[in-house]
Amino acid sequence: MLVALGEIMVVLLALIGVGVAGCVLYLVRIRDQMDEILKEFSERHQITQLRDMIGGTPREPVDLFKLFKHIQKSREVEWDKPPQDVEVVEGQSDIMGSMKALCEKYYLDAFTIATDDGLVVASSMDDAAADAAKYSHAFTAGTLPDDPQVMLFGVRHKGSPLVGIIRTDRNIPEKWVESMENDAVSILKRWL
């Protein structure tokens, strides 16, 4: 009888242990869901702030200078040289040559144009796939680049939203922005 009673106690304790473990697991899942909700709320708040700052949704063309200045808070001194006298379309043999010429003209390290879903349209780099995927997603989601040397902007070509990805450690002067936009559009019109 004592053996049977002992076995019943073991079974009861096992059931209680399983119940407690189940409750703990359930509470952990609730905590994870709460963390996700807080993270999503924080990201939405950041997107709203970015949209307010640049005036519109990330898929629309934005005021490049406002966006550049937001990203470049750590860059105190504007680049004081004028853009170089480089032809970005005429005399270039292909779109990559035009993109490299644009980089040379504005002293950029790299310039890439990607679709809003992350495919490379044109680039001055041989392998821009990682940048295109990462930063087009960031731009579409309305988040800022994690690299302070990367600047993003939106442009439309033949009705399609595209993302411009610039790599530079220089502070782009306000007076260059419109000229850079025009050159990027000229390159797209010439080659695509």
Side-chain angles (χ1 to χ4, degrees):
M1 174 128 165
L2 287 175
V3 173
L5 189 56
E7 288 177 5
I8 292 172
M9 290 294 285
V10 168
V11 169
L12 286 174
L13 288 174
L15 289 174
I16 291 172
V18 169
V20 169
C23 288
V24 169
L25 180 62
Y26 184 71
L27 291 173
V28 167
R29 287 182 182 165
I30 289 174
R31 188 194 68 210
D32 290 345
Q33 288 176 348
M34 291 296 292
D35 289 344
E36 283 294 317
I37 291 169
L38 289 173
K39 180 180 174 187
E40 184 177 330
F41 176 77
S42 174
E43 288 173 356
R44 285 184 185 174
H45 182 67
Q46 289 173 350
I47 291 169
T48 302
Q49 286 180 325
L50 177 62
R51 286 181 182 162
D52 290 344
M53 181 188 335
I54 62 176
T57 63
R59 290 181 175 261
E60 297 173 355
V62 298
D63 181 340
L64 283 178
F65 186 66
K66 283 183 184 176
L67 184 57
F68 283 179
K69 287 302 169 192
H70 175 75
I71 294 169
Q72 297 175 330
K73 284 182 179 175
S74 63
R75 301 175 190 175
E76 297 297 326
V77 179
E78 282 192 350
W79 189 242
D80 58 355
K81 294 182 180 181
Q84 295 187 56
D85 188 21
V86 174
E87 183 56 53
V88 298
V89 175
E90 297 304 318
Q92 302 301 327
S93 61
D94 58 16
I95 194 167
M96 187 174 210
S98 288
M99 298 295 280
K100 287 181 178 181
L102 188 140
C103 289
E104 181 183 346
K105 181 174 183 176
Y106 297 103
Y107 311 95
L108 306 175
D109 297 326
F111 184 61
T112 300
I113 298 174
T115 61
D116 63 347
D117 59 352
L119 300 175
V120 176
V121 174
S123 182
S124 64
M125 300 188 304
D126 290 328
D127 185 18
D131 271 4
K134 179 178 181 178
Y135 292 117
S136 63
H137 174 72
F139 183 77
T140 303
T143 58
L144 296 175
D146 56 1
D147 185 338
Q149 294 187 356
V150 172
M151 297 175 223
L152 308 175
F153 66 93
V155 66
R156 293 189 84 75
H157 179 63
K158 296 183 179 179
S160 298
L162 302 174
V163 179
I165 305 162
I166 295 174
R167 284 191 166 276
T168 184
D169 59 357
R170 296 180 178 91
N171 195 359
I172 304 297
E174 181 177 9
K175 58 190 173 193
W176 292 11
V177 174
E178 186 175 346
S179 177
M180 287 175 69
E181 285 180 300
N182 293 338
D183 284 344
V185 169
S186 296
I187 290 169
L188 291 172
K189 284 182 179 176
R190 167 65 174 89
W191 298 106
L192 300 178

